[in-house]
Amino acid sequence: MLNAVILVGGEGTRLRPLTERMPKPMLPLLGRPLIDYTFDHLRSAGVGKAILACGYLPTQIQAHFGENAEGLELEYRVEPEPLGTGGGIRFGADGLDRTFLALNGDSLREADLARLIEFHRDRGAAATILLTPVDDPSRFGLVRVDDQGRVTGFLEKPKPEEIDTNLINAGLYVLEPEVLDLVPEGKQVSIERDVFPILADRGRLCALALPGYWLDVGTPASYLQAHLDLLERSAGNNIGPAVEGGDIELVPPVMAETEVVIEDGARVGPLVYLGAGSRVGSGAVVERVALLPGAVIPSGARIAGAIVSPEFGVIAA
Ligand code: GDD
Ligand code: MG
């Protein structure tokens, strides 16, 4: 059985105030917690068990999912203090004795992980990183690879003058247990800064870019983007019978959950998600917006490019 360690210990600082009382993995995306999309992906890749390395607000995840997410066994390990990404992986992987996956819990991904594992085995790597292209690598881990797929350089948060590729660490790794020996106990260890450079020097670190979707949900802008991407895929309007309202204009794609109210004269869309129980006041104009469950847009408001929260109101994205 294939195991995965998921890092969910971060505080999600750039998504405050949304993450003040809710850990980032539990933020809703089209009515489901963000981490649920990762569970889907892992399950479809044949992962049988996921160990969640938790720190910040861990109980909410456990209270929601319990020990099993539709066939994916879940175990929660709560770090006594933040151990960093490397420390968290070591802590979560303690006791695993064969190849496993480790991943950041804050991204949305779709990629053929069986191919990644096969590539890892073919290369005899100790660790293999899934890569993805981005426009601006500066916020990520930049990965230089040779034509065999061996990593020749790993630069976490590269400086502008260091950027010579658009391939970055997509935050998912195939790891051999021997990698854990490179993570000293009892202090914070970053797998990106402290472990990958050593493995690269030894020629034991490989990386592969695979086609598929990837989005790091770290800011209000990328959290909104996650909604917009899913709306775009759904195309057209998807508004359940529960939407109330008379003289309204819906510009597709618009998606609405149950008990949504859109008042007279409002124009909604394109690219609007209306969470359960949300409300758009009369005459409001709303475009490229995600209304979280229960959120309210006042009458006459014009809002574009935002997340709207029931507690915190409009968060510009
Ligand atoms: N358990 C645990 N303990 N988890 C942690 C800790 C910790 O001390 N610190 C961070 N995490 C978790 C976060 O919750 C997140 O899921 C993941 O580790 C990565 O941490 P971030 O703080 O979100 O890092 P980042 O987004 O700046 O960069 C990372 O992700 C990029 C891709 O999204 C790096 O891995 C980059 O190299 C990568 O490109
Ligand atoms: Mg992140």
Side-chain angles (χ1 to χ4, degrees):
M1 181 180 75
L2 186 57
N3 292 294
V5 175
I6 311 179
L7 293 171
V8 290
E11 293 184 23
T13 32
R14 289 169 299 161
L15 273 163
R16 280 186 195 148
L18 292 172
T19 46
E20 259 165 24
R21 262 163 287 168
M22 184 181 274
K24 183 156 62 171
M26 290 305 293
L27 289 180
L29 175 60
L30 267 52
R32 299 162 64 195
L34 270 178
I35 192 80
D36 208 11
Y37 294 83
T38 292
F39 292 160
D40 283 353
H41 184 214
L42 294 178
R43 207 185 297 107
S44 70
V47 172
K49 178 176 174 181
I51 301 163
L52 283 85
C54 309
Y56 182 68
L57 302 176
T59 47
Q60 287 183 30
I61 308 176
Q62 190 163 10
H64 183 91
F65 289 101
E67 314 306 312
N68 195 298
E70 291 172 49
L72 176 69
E73 192 190 329
L74 300 176
E75 185 185 326
Y76 303 84
R77 297 191 184 170
V78 183
E79 293 165 20
E81 69 218 279
L83 298 172
T85 51
I89 291 171
R90 177 175 173 151
F91 182 78
D94 190 35
L96 298 184
D97 58 3
R98 60 181 102 153
T99 314
F100 63 96
L101 301 178
L103 52 144
N104 296 343
D106 64 348
S107 309
L108 296 168
R109 309 180 190 79
E110 277 159 27
D112 183 350
L113 299 183
R115 255 183 81 190
L116 189 72
I117 295 168
E118 193 184 289
F119 175 86
H120 170 85
R121 295 223 158 100
D122 282 353
R123 293 290 183 283
T128 297
I129 301 171
L130 176 66
L131 302 176
T132 193
V134 293
D135 291 336
D136 175 14
S138 62
R139 293 188 292 119
F140 302 104
L142 178 142
V143 186
R144 295 179 182 141
V145 282
D146 68 14
D147 54 9
Q148 298 298 304
R150 298 221 176 251
V151 174
T152 56
F154 189 107
L155 297 172
E156 185 64 21
K157 313 287 188 282
K159 300 189 188 79
E161 63 271 22
E162 292 173 325
I163 296 173
D164 52 7
T165 170
N166 67 344
L167 290 177
I168 60 127
N169 168 20
L172 182 143
Y173 324 117
V174 185
L175 299 180
E176 295 305 319
E178 65 182 276
V179 171
L180 306 176
D181 297 339
L182 296 173
V183 181
E185 264 182 303
K187 59 172 190 172
Q188 280 207 22
V189 179
S190 158
I191 190 141
E192 297 88 347
R193 294 175 194 276
D194 303 327
V195 179
F196 286 158
I198 299 176
L199 285 173
D201 279 351
R202 295 181 185 172
R204 300 292 315 286
L205 185 61
C206 291
L208 180 66
L210 288 172
Y213 181 79
W214 185 82
L215 181 72
D216 165 84
V217 181
T219 59
S222 55
Y223 183 35
L224 175 62
Q225 192 60 47
H227 286 87
L228 303 186
D229 289 344
L230 290 175
L231 279 166
E232 245 154 23
R233 281 197 217 176
S234 76
N237 285 339
N238 185 349
I239 51 164
V243 173
E244 293 170 30
D247 175 24
I248 60 176
E249 193 186 342
L250 297 176
V251 187
V254 172
M255 195 185 289
E257 307 283 0
T258 54
E259 288 171 50
V260 167
V261 176
I262 303 175
E263 292 177 0
D264 280 354
R267 195 182 78 198
V268 175
L271 292 164
V272 172
Y273 171 75
L274 300 131
S278 62
R279 185 177 197 102
V280 178
S282 58
V285 178
V286 186
E287 186 182 325
R288 293 173 60 85
V289 163
L291 276 81
L292 301 184
V296 175
I297 291 186
S299 296
R302 304 180 77 91
I303 299 174
I307 300 277
V308 186
S309 144
E311 296 170 278
F312 307 109
V314 177
I315 298 171

